[in-house]
Amino acid sequence: MIGGLFIYNHKGEVLISRVYRDDIGRNAVDAFRVNVIHARQQVRSPVTNIARTSFFHVKRSNIWLAAVTKQNVNAAMVFEFLYKMCDVMTAYFGKISEENIKNNFVLIYELLDEILDFGYPQNSETGALKTFITQQGIKSQPQTKEEQSQITSQVTGQIGWRREGIKYRRNELFLDVLESVNLLMSPQGQVLSAHVSGRVVMKSYLSGMPECKFGMNDKIVIDKQGKGGATDDSGKSELGGSSGKQSIAIDDCTFHQCVRLSKFDSERSISFIPPDGEYELMRYRTTKDIILPFRVIPLVREVGRTKLEVKVVIKSNFKPSLLAQKIEVRIPTPLNTSGVQVICMKGKAKYKASENAIVWKIKRMAGMKESQISAEIELLPTNDKKKWARPPISMNFEVPFAPSGLKVRYLKVFEPKLNYSDHDVIKWVRYIGRSGIYETRC
Amino acid sequence: MPAVSKGDGMRGLAVFISDIRNCKSKEAEIKRINKELANIRSKFKGDKALDGYSKKKYVCKLLFIFLLGHDIDFGHMEAVNLLSSNKYTEKQIGYLFISVLVNSNSELIRLINNGIKNDLASRNPTFMCLALHCIANVGSREMAEAFAGEIPRILVAGDTMDSVKQSAALCLLRLHKASPDVVLMGEWTSRVVHLLNDQHMGVVTAAISLITCLSQKNPDEFKSCVPLAVSRLSRIVSSASTDLQDYTYYFVPAPWLSCKLLRLLQCYPPPEDGAVKGRLVECLETILNKAQEPPKSKKVQHSNAKNAILFEAISLIIHYDSEPNLLVRACNQLGQFLQHRETNLRYLALESMCTLASSEFSHEAVKTHIETVINALKTERDVSVRQRAADLLYAMCDRSNAKQIVAEMLSYLETADYSIREEMVLKVAILAEKYAVDYSWYVDTILNLIRIAGDYVSEEVWYRVIQIVINRDDVQGYAAKTVFEALQAPACHENMVKVGGYILGEFGNLIAGDPRSSPLVQFNLLHSKFHLCSVPSRALLLSAYIKFINLFPETKPTIQEVLRSDSQIRNSDVELQQRAVEYLKLSSIASTDVLATVLEEMPPFPERESSILAKLKKKKGPGAVSVSDLEEAKGEGGALNGSGDRGADAAATSNSATLSPSADLLGLRSAAPVAPGTGSLLVDVFPEAGPASAPAVSEDGFLRHLDLPPESSDSLLVEAPGESDFEDPALPLPESDDLLYKFVCKNNGVLFENQLLQIGTKSEYRQNLGRMYLFFGNKTSVQFSNFTTSITCPGDLQTQLNMQTKPVEPLVDGGAQVQQVLNIECLSDFSDAPLLNIMFRYGGAQQNLTLKLPVTINKFFQPTEMSSQDFFQRWKQLSLPQQEAQKIFKANHSMDTDVIKTKLLGLGPALLEDVDPNPENFVCAGVIQTKGQQIGCLLRLEPNAQAQMFRLTLRSSKDTVSVHLCHLLAEQF
């Protein structure tokens, strides 16, 4: 189990140090700083073993979070915990930065006491935590006995993530499908690897203890229903998306603790009692039949030793009615670039010397369009024999559909005790596809 | 770069550096550097010419970026351009960049060399210096090739400035060190030597470093520097402290130069010219005199400089070792330092005195300081100084003061630092043995040593004491008494128990008369330590007990009781259990006569050099015994190990033969009468039978052998032209492999013969030990002179085989024969054969030949008898593919059953009858005994008479052994 948890700033100074077990001493703090943060070579592995002690770290901007243990723990569990911890901190005080951490020392220690007990992760549901770890005295007036007992029964009870007796005038529900597309493409346009990792994030403002059921175009479910002869989903699949694809194959998925896994295993239906507020319902990954929103066609020509001509065409590949946003193409330049001239039809392009790249930004672009940039790069002759490695051209964007083809078929809410029905709930569904590592070799 | 930015401050550079320093993270720093690099690249882009200032600034920035650890792959051209600038700062930065960042890029090197050449040719001394510094800093081969001719010219040219000469001398030194083959002095030699006469002290100082380095390589060429150096030295030494203004350091004239001069003189023997020598002696005396004068300054620098010269002078005196007067004076001077309050001085004094002690002139003088040194050993706070004091004590020890020194060292040992204890123990052991007049003193000393520092006493130390006690009748009684007393201490070191057990087992009877040490008391004393000992010591004690039964029949019931107890006879350790069982049986079955014969007193060990002492003799100086030496000494101790344990082994000949647990340990019944401790060994039975019943083999061997002589003598003439007296050992003769194979199955015969020399060999082996007699016969009527033989174990063999021998007589008369005895111990299995190198002079011509000694792994076979069932069971156990080696080959010799049998018997293992269902086949079983392990070996030979073929299959518990044996055997049939 986790023996201790440390938070460092970029210089390796310890901001937070919480030790849960005796086998971790103060020297572990220094060991991590010396061997990882100040290491001569950049440490790329998130798990480092120093003197029979394992350090699991994640980095958020300039802040290092390291979990330390001497035991053989489940590394995936530790990282899940660290990410959860980041989420909790973000939910409490916003961006994780040195200043924010310094301003919230007490809060962080209070949180750490609550979410880890003797190194074992406990309830890390933000909604639940916020009921009893309150911020900066806003709600710090002494709670009544009933409130306290309510919190206790909720935290220790079967449904630890939702308290009872929540009431809203308007029952509302927001559902976001957030996906990021990762791609590596050869210069000839052959897909070398592609996958989508997606999340379903919900924000629920529902009264009572509602029972929800979430349905999507999962291939297994659709096939099963197809066999059964019931095809009632034709009308509902128009919530969003771009392709006429009927169902998607999900490679693997994980759920929020509120989802009843037994039901998923037996019927593959996702039913749950949602926490109040914002949470991540599920995470999934697909690799088949991915809609690639953009195609990048590079053309690099070396003119002698001192000149390089680059032409890059991007083509948008989705419904013309949809608009992609925040498009950014990054074209790496050789290390001996001495000057760059860029011409582009659309957007703005600039040579950023500090990053050794030409950055081309386009605010908006509709589907089925194409745009082009051409650049002339002047090179300084060097005495270095090794050739330029030609790093891939990378791209960032945001599109309003799910590149995996996932569609939400339904989200039903049942609250048997209170008198509102599924139709009374206002539901909002949004699809956002972002680029992950979206690269084309040139 | 404060010097640069003071004159014309490069603001851009300062801003850039402060930007970098203010970066919050590594990423930010990289971004800033990338930006700057892009900026510099755009500035360096060919189309616009940059002025010198900005070029310098950008090159500086690149240098800074490089020193931060980033790659720089451009800007070299601009740096080279800076070389042609006329401004000092620009040139300096250019050279700096090149020194730091040059790589062997051909086109650039040419340009750089060109720039350097221009600067060297200019008459501007600062530019010349910059160029020379750059050459020295880079020091590449290309540079050496380009300027090796130019720099000596600058060095000796009359019109060169002094500062340039200094740089040139040091630059040349650097090039000489980097690529000595390129820098040839040749015609410059005499003129370089004459630089010692230069007016400018700096030039002399620089030149002398160069000369020292060069003269170490070819001393003859620079011989002429000695008188010059002496005169220079005398001028400095005799000068007043104010004469050499700039070169006087805290009232000491030119200390560095003096030291260097003295060091240069240490490269040469004492000057032969009387005048020069007189002058030098005068100088040295002056230096020694000056040391006596009261210091001119209280500053530590003053005394440091003075002492530096003094110590160099003393090393020179020791190096010459020819001036008794000076040596004694030096010794006295050092004696004063021994009590100096500066620790470093005391350390240096002790160290120098160590070397002084080895000189015959000053040995006595050193001895006068014994009290001081002993005091230092006791009271010194720094362990390294104490170590030096111990070294010095060791070096100054001789017969007259050995007792005192050994006693002091022993008493110090009790409090000594753990890091030097082992070394001290070895030194005490060596001194005690070397200077022992009275062996009872020796025994006392070593026993004390074991008592005080038992953990640090290595095995060979106590082996040695036992050897000496056994070989000296006069000391045996005393030794028995002393160990008996020593053992009475409540806590004894295990080594003490071992020595006690051994000595009481052998000589307990000598003190048995005294009722206080009656046999039973002795036994009870020994047995009270038994349970605290490790297994090997317990085994030794068991052997001592059985010896007690022989010495004192009245102890028999008690000892039998002990042996019979469950803790012995059912001990989980096989060795202990076996000893207990066998000794019990031996004591109850054998008659007193048999017992007395079996358990006879150990015969004296052959007189041989102590392995510790042998180690010592190899060392030239009496300096420190380093750790690695100690470790080697331990390795050598292996030979002694065998002999030290011999008492136990001789008493129980059967214990090693019965490796198999199934053999019901009754081997003792048959073995006891056969091996009544007379030294005739089981193994010997086979070799004796070998040649007698195998005429075919030996005849064949001799026939082949007769063909050899003309051929081999030819090769001898070619190989050993006899020009030099001292030659490297010749390569082994091409036929030496055949010679080796001849001896696989027999132990005696003629190893080698040519027109001059015949070498016969006879050998006997028992377990992992062997003894080989080599007979060198002079076939001519002329005397061989400088006859030397040496045994070498090539490669891994050194760790696998332990060979010991004594040198033979250097003269072999015509027709005479000399004998050499080799003691061999097999440490682990091996496949190579040791080499015997023989060198002698015959009629003025040097003869040199190398043979392989017929020591093969099968010599260490111990036969094992077993039934057919047992054999096949084991055969199946060794079924891993790598454990088996098989060969099918054509018969080269007769396939007669008897001949094959003889050969197999000669090989070593037991030939098992009626084991194989096919009576034509031969099966053998045996155990190869090495010090480290025992390797069981099974063999099956299937002859096919029709096809004249053999199939040989070997299985052993070690794969390399199977393969090697198979290879050896295949050559035999």
Side-chain angles (χ1 to χ4, degrees):
Chain A
M1 285 305 109
I2 296 170
L5 200 132
F6 307 124
I7 301 180
Y8 299 85
N9 67 5
H10 72 281
K11 289 182 197 151
E13 292 162 348
V14 190
L15 303 177
I16 299 282
S17 152
R18 179 76 174 85
V19 175
Y20 293 94
R21 290 183 174 232
D22 291 341
D23 54 357
I24 303 297
R26 291 288 304 185
N27 55 346
V29 180
D30 301 326
F32 183 76
R33 176 182 40 242
V34 172
N35 290 295
V36 180
I37 301 179
H38 290 166
R40 203 160 293 174
Q41 244 114 39
Q42 198 191 351
V43 175
R44 299 174 75 178
S45 155
V47 185
T48 320
N49 254 301
I50 308 160
R52 296 202 194 156
T53 311
S54 309
F55 294 84
F56 305 79
H57 77 260
V58 295
K59 213 181 160 195
R60 283 280 178 277
S61 66
N62 272 336
I63 299 296
W64 301 72
L65 279 92
V68 192
T69 179
K70 284 219 168 176
Q71 283 162 309
N72 185 14
V73 298
N74 183 344
M77 187 274 287
V78 176
F79 283 111
E80 187 63 39
F81 169 77
L82 286 176
Y83 290 130
K84 206 79 205 179
M85 158 107 194
C86 291
D87 290 347
V88 170
M89 288 199 290
T90 322
Y92 266 93
F93 51 77
K95 195 175 164 259
I96 299 178
S97 66
E98 188 175 346
E99 204 186 333
N100 275 345
I101 287 176
K102 281 182 175 167
N103 290 338
N104 290 285
F105 273 140
V106 181
L107 174 70
I108 293 172
Y109 278 116
E110 207 174 341
L111 283 171
L112 282 175
D113 277 345
E114 199 53 51
I115 58 178
L116 271 180
D117 190 0
F118 194 45
Y120 292 96
Q122 306 293 315
N123 194 350
S124 52
E125 196 53 51
T126 320
L129 285 171
K130 277 193 173 168
T131 60
F132 51 91
I133 299 178
T134 50
Q135 260 178 297
Q136 293 164 2
I138 297 169
K139 265 169 78 182
S140 66
Q141 64 268 41
Q143 287 159 326
T144 60
K145 269 253 164 65
E146 296 89 82
E147 270 178 315
Q148 277 174 2
S149 68
Q150 199 190 346
I151 287 168
T152 314
S153 72
Q154 182 230 321
V155 171
T156 54
Q158 211 179 4
I159 305 166
W161 56 87
R162 186 178 178 95
R163 66 190 163 93
E164 290 194 39
I166 302 170
K167 275 215 172 68
Y168 288 103
R169 202 139 45 94
R170 236 157 76 114
N171 289 309
E172 251 181 323
L173 205 144
F174 300 86
L175 194 149
D176 289 350
V177 177
L178 308 172
E179 294 193 339
S180 71
V181 212
N182 298 286
L183 168 79
L184 182 65
M185 197 178 245
S186 78
Q188 287 77 33
Q190 195 184 357
V191 177
L192 300 173
S193 86
H195 74 269
V196 172
S197 57
R199 305 191 297 148
V200 177
V201 176
M202 286 180 77
K203 213 184 268 181
S204 57
Y205 302 106
L206 300 171
S207 314
M209 295 291 266
E211 171 88 29
C212 298
K213 209 170 168 192
F214 174 68
M216 56 184 182
N217 56 345
D218 182 1
K219 197 165 187 233
I220 298 172
V221 180
I222 302 281
D223 286 358
K224 219 191 303 181
Q225 286 177 348
K227 263 180 214 148
T231 49
D232 60 338
D233 55 326
S234 51
K236 286 181 182 167
S237 65
E238 292 306 315
L239 281 162
S242 60
S243 90
K245 210 159 39 127
Q246 288 304 309
S247 59
I248 62 160
I250 288 174
D251 284 18
D252 51 57
C253 52
T254 53
F255 294 102
H256 188 267
Q257 57 168 332
C258 65
V259 175
R260 291 194 185 88
L261 290 178
S262 57
K263 229 166 190 176
F264 180 76
D265 286 340
S266 56
E267 302 164 25
R268 229 179 148 80
S269 75
I270 303 163
S271 67
F272 54 96
I273 296 172
D276 199 35
E278 194 175 343
Y279 59 96
E280 184 186 287
L281 180 69
M282 74 178 283
R283 237 185 270 171
Y284 59 91
R285 202 170 64 91
T286 68
T287 49
K288 288 204 188 71
D289 301 324
I290 293 164
I291 310 152
L292 297 171
F294 286 95
R295 167 87 206 277
V296 178
I297 306 159
L299 196 78
V300 180
R301 203 160 68 93
E302 285 178 45
V303 189
R305 277 192 66 197
T306 57
K307 209 169 166 190
L308 202 65
E309 283 181 5
V310 182
K311 207 165 107 183
V312 177
V313 182
I314 57 167
K315 281 185 183 169
S316 56
N317 184 25
F318 45 87
K319 273 193 216 161
S321 57
L322 298 171
L323 273 181
Q325 285 184 313
K326 300 177 189 167
I327 301 153
E328 184 186 294
V329 183
R330 180 177 293 266
I331 305 162
T333 55
L335 294 176
N336 55 343
T337 305
S338 61
V340 177
Q341 271 104 49
V342 204
I343 308 161
C344 58
M345 301 293 139
K346 234 181 141 190
K348 280 179 190 163
K350 203 177 161 191
Y351 167 59
K352 286 204 171 163
S354 59
E355 289 155 46
N356 281 326
I358 299 168
V359 180
W360 176 26
K361 284 182 180 165
I362 303 170
K363 280 210 181 104
R364 250 171 251 106
M365 188 164 172
M368 305 315 267
K369 290 264 169 57
E370 74 171 65
S371 187
Q372 183 182 335
I373 184 173
S374 62
E376 251 185 44
I377 301 172
E378 281 176 78
L379 302 176
L380 193 75
T382 65
N383 52 8
D384 215 3
K385 289 287 177 287
K386 64 174 181 251
K387 233 176 149 228
W388 179 46
R390 290 204 184 191
I393 294 171
S394 59
M395 195 175 171
N396 290 321
F397 53 80
E398 205 178 291
V399 288
F401 61 91
S404 68
L406 181 128
K407 272 172 230 153
V408 177
R409 284 171 54 217
Y410 55 81
L411 180 68
K412 293 173 189 159
V413 181
F414 310 98
E415 172 47 87
K417 285 185 193 150
L418 299 173
N419 56 350
Y420 69 94
S421 71
D422 186 31
H423 303 290
D424 302 331
V425 180
I426 305 157
K427 300 171 193 166
W428 306 87
V429 178
R430 181 163 69 154
Y431 296 88
I432 299 171
R434 292 205 181 91
S435 58
I437 297 167
Y438 201 87
E439 291 179 334
T440 308
R441 290 188 181 155
C442 62
Chain B
M1 265 155 267
V4 177
S5 48
K6 216 188 286 167
D8 41 0
M10 289 183 280
R11 218 182 114 64
L13 180 67
V15 167
F16 173 60
I17 292 173
S18 75
D19 274 4
I20 294 272
R21 297 225 166 117
N22 289 335
C23 278
K24 279 263 183 325
S25 66
K26 199 163 175 99
E27 289 75 33
E29 184 186 308
I30 288 169
K31 275 190 175 172
R32 180 70 186 88
I33 284 168
N34 278 338
K35 199 176 152 197
E36 192 59 44
L37 282 176
N39 175 34
I40 298 171
R41 279 196 299 261
S42 67
K43 290 287 192 304
F44 280 176
K45 206 165 48 182
D47 44 8
K48 47 186 175 286
L50 284 170
D51 58 346
Y53 166 76
S54 25
K55 228 183 247 173
K56 180 182 77 177
K57 186 176 77 186
Y58 292 129
V59 167
C60 256
K61 280 183 181 175
L62 285 179
L63 203 50
F64 183 76
I65 292 169
F66 178 77
L67 294 177
L68 281 177
H70 300 267
D71 273 342
I72 297 295
D73 53 5
F74 65 98
H76 300 75
M77 206 55 223
E78 282 69 23
V80 173
N81 287 343
L82 281 178
L83 295 191
S84 56
S85 158
N86 276 326
K87 276 202 188 123
Y88 173 77
T89 52
E90 286 168 20
K91 214 184 252 295
Q92 184 200 28
I93 295 296
Y95 275 123
L96 188 63
F97 186 90
I98 287 160
S99 308
V100 174
L101 266 144
V102 85
N103 49 11
S104 46
N105 184 322
S106 59
E107 46 204 291
L108 263 178
I109 282 284
R110 224 180 35 213
L111 286 170
I112 294 167
N113 284 356
N114 211 19
I116 292 176
K117 221 166 237 162
N118 287 338
D119 278 338
L120 286 182
S122 79
R123 311 282 0 144
N124 186 332
T126 48
F127 290 178
M128 285 172 91
C129 279
L130 277 178
L132 286 167
H133 295 167
C134 178
I135 296 170
N137 279 334
V138 175
S140 67
R141 201 173 170 79
E142 290 84 11
M143 290 248 175
E145 274 164 3
F147 300 107
E150 181 86 354
I151 298 169
R153 201 183 49 70
I154 295 173
L155 181 58
V156 298
D159 54 348
T160 315
M161 294 275 288
D162 289 335
S163 58
V164 179
K165 271 189 189 169
Q166 287 180 51
S167 297
L170 293 175
C171 178
L172 201 57
L173 174 64
R174 158 82 173 139
L175 291 186
H176 174 75
K177 279 180 179 164
S179 32
D181 50 323
V182 177
V183 183
L184 299 169
M185 292 310 287
E187 67 262 45
W188 308 112
T189 306
S190 64
R191 298 177 69 181
V192 169
V193 168
H194 276 93
L195 284 176
L196 288 178
N197 275 337
D198 200 283
Q199 296 291 319
H200 194 262
M201 297 292 269
V203 176
V204 185
T205 314
I208 200 156
S209 297
L210 175 66
I211 293 168
T212 309
C213 182
L214 290 171
S215 63
Q216 268 159 359
K217 208 170 160 228
N218 26 0
D220 290 337
E221 236 181 278
F222 287 89
K223 217 169 182 161
S224 53
C225 71
V226 174
L228 290 177
V230 171
S231 71
R232 187 91 222 182
L233 184 66
S234 85
R235 260 182 283 158
I236 297 169
V237 168
S238 59
S239 70
S241 56
T242 47
D243 286 359
L244 308 158
Q245 278 145 2
D246 284 351
Y247 288 86
T248 301
Y249 177 80
Y250 289 89
F251 307 107
V252 182
W256 281 276
L257 182 53
S258 312
C259 284
K260 282 183 175 177
L261 283 166
L262 287 164
R263 210 167 282 169
L264 172 64
L265 288 171
Q266 281 173 51
C267 301
Y268 291 95
E272 281 138 21
D273 184 353
V276 176
K277 193 174 180 185
R279 207 165 170 196
L280 179 57
V281 169
E282 203 179 297
C283 283
L284 293 172
E285 274 172 351
T286 321
I287 293 171
L288 288 174
N289 287 339
K290 273 194 182 169
Q292 297 293 344
E293 288 167 12
K296 291 189 180 111
S297 157
K298 284 227 163 57
K299 288 256 169 63
V300 68
Q301 289 94 333
H302 172 70
S303 55
N304 275 352
K306 222 165 83 171
N307 291 333
I309 299 172
L310 180 66
F311 274 106
E312 265 327 317
I314 289 174
S315 352
L316 183 64
I317 292 168
I318 295 168
H319 171 73
Y320 284 166
D321 197 11
S322 60
E323 299 289 329
N325 176 31
L326 282 176
L327 281 165
V328 171
R329 283 196 62 186
C331 186
N332 294 338
Q333 184 59 50
L334 290 177
Q336 287 177 14
F337 284 146
L338 283 183
Q339 281 154 328
H340 204 277
R341 62 190 159 78
E342 187 79 16
T343 312
N344 288 337
L345 267 183
R346 289 199 300 272
Y347 181 94
L348 288 169
L350 287 168
E351 200 184 26
S352 303
M353 236 184 210
C354 253
T355 41
L356 267 180
S358 62
S359 160
E360 49 174 323
F361 300 112
S362 54
H363 188 79
E364 288 302 319
V366 173
K367 267 164 68 181
T368 57
H369 299 291
I370 185 162
E371 294 303 331
T372 326
V373 180
I374 288 170
N375 200 31
L377 188 65
K378 283 177 182 162
T379 57
E380 195 60 63
R381 260 190 302 167
D382 189 323
V383 64
S384 59
V385 183
R386 285 202 300 270
Q387 166 128 32
R388 288 289 146 256
D391 286 346
L392 179 54
L393 274 184
Y394 177 76
M396 67 164 71
C397 186
D398 63 9
R399 215 168 274 283
S400 65
N401 57 8
K403 278 195 181 175
Q404 188 196 358
I405 288 181
V406 168
E408 288 298 344
M409 282 172 98
L410 267 180
S411 70
Y412 168 64
L413 201 53
E414 288 184 73
T415 54
D417 203 86
Y418 290 101
S419 56
I420 63 171
R421 275 198 182 184
E422 187 166 2
E423 197 187 318
M424 291 283 294
V425 165
L426 206 65
K427 282 183 169 161
V428 171
I430 291 170
L431 290 180
E433 190 186 336
K434 200 171 165 193
Y435 299 115
V437 237
D438 171 7
Y439 278 94
S440 55
W441 173 74
Y442 171 71
V443 170
D444 276 344
T445 308
I446 300 293
L447 290 183
N448 256 332
L449 193 65
I450 295 175
R451 191 175 53 75
I452 293 167
D455 285 337
Y456 299 93
V457 174
S458 48
E459 298 272 280
E460 58 261 39
V461 173
W462 74 265
Y463 294 156
R464 189 70 191 152
V465 70
I466 282 175
Q467 276 181 30
I468 285 174
V469 167
I470 285 182
N471 290 7
R472 306 250 157 206
D473 298 337
D474 47 336
V475 78
Q476 285 165 355
Y478 179 76
K481 190 163 151 280
T482 327
V483 288
F484 179 74
E485 281 161 9
L487 281 177
Q488 274 169 336
C492 276
H493 192 266
E494 199 174 329
N495 280 342
M496 181 67 91
V497 178
K498 285 183 189 169
V499 176
Y502 200 101
I503 289 184
L504 289 182
E506 293 290 333
F507 311 112
N509 53 341
L510 298 177
I511 55 166
D514 191 331
R516 281 170 298 170
S517 55
S518 71
L520 222 52
V521 174
Q522 284 185 32
F523 172 73
N524 285 334
L525 183 61
L526 273 185
H527 199 58
S528 67
K529 314 286 182 201
F530 185 88
H531 306 280
L532 307 169
C533 294
S534 62
V535 170
S537 318
R538 288 185 185 196
L540 192 147
L541 282 179
L542 285 180
S543 298
Y545 296 169
I546 187 76
K547 291 227 158 192
F548 264 57
I549 293 185
N550 177 40
L551 290 177
F552 321 113
E554 69 265 30
T555 59
K556 189 168 168 177
T558 323
I559 292 176
Q560 279 185 336
E561 194 56 42
V562 168
L563 290 176
R564 205 175 287 125
S565 72
D566 274 359
S567 60
Q568 307 301 348
I569 212 155
R570 295 203 180 147
N571 196 304
S572 59
D573 188 87
V574 180
E575 177 71 28
L576 289 182
Q577 191 187 76
Q578 190 171 349
R579 283 197 191 211
V581 170
E582 288 173 1
Y583 291 160
L584 188 59
K585 275 284 170 212
L586 183 69
S587 65
S588 50
I589 289 174
S591 70
T592 348
D593 291 347
V594 172
L595 209 58
T597 328
V598 173
L599 302 170
E600 211 177 13
E601 193 176 299
M602 285 299 294
F605 287 91
E607 250 337 306
R608 65 171 121 166
E609 234 175 43
S610 147
S611 58
I612 333 170
L613 213 60
K615 191 86 243 157
L616 176 78
K617 285 199 175 171
K618 269 189 206 163
K619 293 169 70 67
K620 279 181 192 143
V625 179
S626 70
V627 180
S628 64
D629 283 349
L630 283 174
E631 257 148 29
E632 276 176 54
K634 273 186 199 156
E636 275 187 17
L640 279 171
N641 190 8
S643 47
D645 216 4
R646 206 160 61 178
D649 290 339
T653 335
S654 59
N655 65 3
S656 50
T658 49
L659 173 75
S660 56
S662 64
D664 56 0
L665 300 174
L666 289 177
L668 186 70
R669 282 190 193 173
S670 56
V674 177
T678 53
S680 90
L681 306 162
L682 276 177
V683 196
D684 284 351
V685 176
F686 298 112
E688 237 76 270
S693 58
V697 191
S698 47
E699 212 175 271
D700 191 9
F702 282 127
L703 276 176
R704 283 206 298 158
H705 187 67
L706 283 177
D707 294 339
L708 289 178
E711 197 184 303
S712 54
S713 62
D714 278 354
S715 65
L716 255 186
L717 287 175
V718 178
E719 279 176 19
E723 278 166 9
S724 68
D725 276 351
F726 191 77
E727 273 188 359
D728 291 330
L731 290 171
L733 294 179
E735 61 271 30
S736 62
D737 267 333
D738 290 345
L739 293 172
L740 187 67
Y741 289 131
K742 214 171 67 177
F743 281 87
V744 167
C745 291
K746 58 174 185 167
N747 285 333
N748 308 333
V750 176
L751 180 63
F752 171 77
E753 188 166 23
N754 65 12
Q755 285 146 340
L756 307 175
L757 183 73
Q758 184 190 44
I759 306 173
T761 171
K762 196 176 151 194
S763 44
E764 51 193 25
Y765 293 89
R766 188 172 53 92
Q767 298 194 358
N768 65 330
L769 303 174
R771 185 171 297 163
M772 179 180 276
Y773 296 89
L774 289 170
F775 303 94
F776 302 98
N778 185 346
K779 285 173 73 181
T780 65
S781 53
V782 188
Q783 194 187 48
F784 291 163
S785 59
N786 291 353
F787 190 87
T788 52
T789 62
S790 59
I791 314 286
T792 49
C793 293
D796 282 345
L797 202 55
Q798 278 176 345
T799 58
Q800 294 162 344
L801 212 57
N802 196 345
M803 315 257 313
Q804 284 200 339
T805 184
K806 279 192 190 166
V808 288
E809 286 294 314
L811 296 178
V812 185
D813 288 330
Q817 196 182 50
V818 288
Q819 183 191 340
Q820 187 175 26
V821 187
L822 298 174
N823 286 316
I824 305 162
E825 186 192 18
C826 177
L827 301 174
S828 68
D829 66 292
F830 60 93
S831 48
D832 282 341
L835 298 177
L836 168 70
N837 178 252
I838 303 157
M839 284 199 245
F840 58 92
R841 269 183 177 281
Y842 167 66
Q846 177 79 14
Q847 305 285 342
N848 184 357
L849 81 152
T850 301
L851 296 170
K852 283 192 178 169
L853 275 178
V855 180
T856 46
I857 186 74
N858 65 300
K859 301 291 183 193
F860 301 96
F861 251 125
Q862 199 78 7
T864 315
E865 290 287 346
M866 54 178 81
S867 67
S868 169
Q869 198 192 343
D870 279 343
F871 179 87
F872 282 107
Q873 192 190 339
R874 272 137 199 271
W875 183 263
K876 278 186 201 114
Q877 277 168 5
L878 297 170
S879 59
L880 292 178
Q882 66 266 31
Q883 285 174 334
E884 185 186 274
Q886 194 175 55
K887 220 169 192 177
I888 299 171
F889 54 92
K890 204 162 175 57
N892 291 323
H893 304 283
S894 154
M895 289 189 73
D896 188 282
T897 314
D898 286 332
V899 175
I900 294 171
K901 266 190 185 172
T902 321
K903 283 186 183 173
L904 286 176
L905 280 173
L907 182 72
L911 183 60
L912 305 177
E913 307 277 354
D914 305 319
V915 166
D916 201 299
N918 183 353
E920 295 289 313
N921 293 352
F922 301 91
V923 291
C924 297
V927 176
I928 290 176
Q929 301 274 352
T930 71
K931 192 189 172 205
Q933 61 180 138
Q934 301 184 320
I935 302 156
C937 236
L938 301 173
L939 179 154
R940 197 172 182 195
L941 181 71
E942 295 153 276
N944 183 343
Q946 279 90 41
Q948 288 286 307
M949 297 283 277
F950 282 107
R951 184 164 78 181
L952 175 69
T953 316
L954 264 157
R955 287 189 177 180
S956 77
S957 48
K958 199 157 178 188
D959 47 351
T960 50
V961 173
S962 303
V963 173
H964 180 60
L965 270 180
C966 190
H967 178 68
L968 275 179
L969 267 182
E971 301 293 327
Q972 299 298 319
F973 298 101

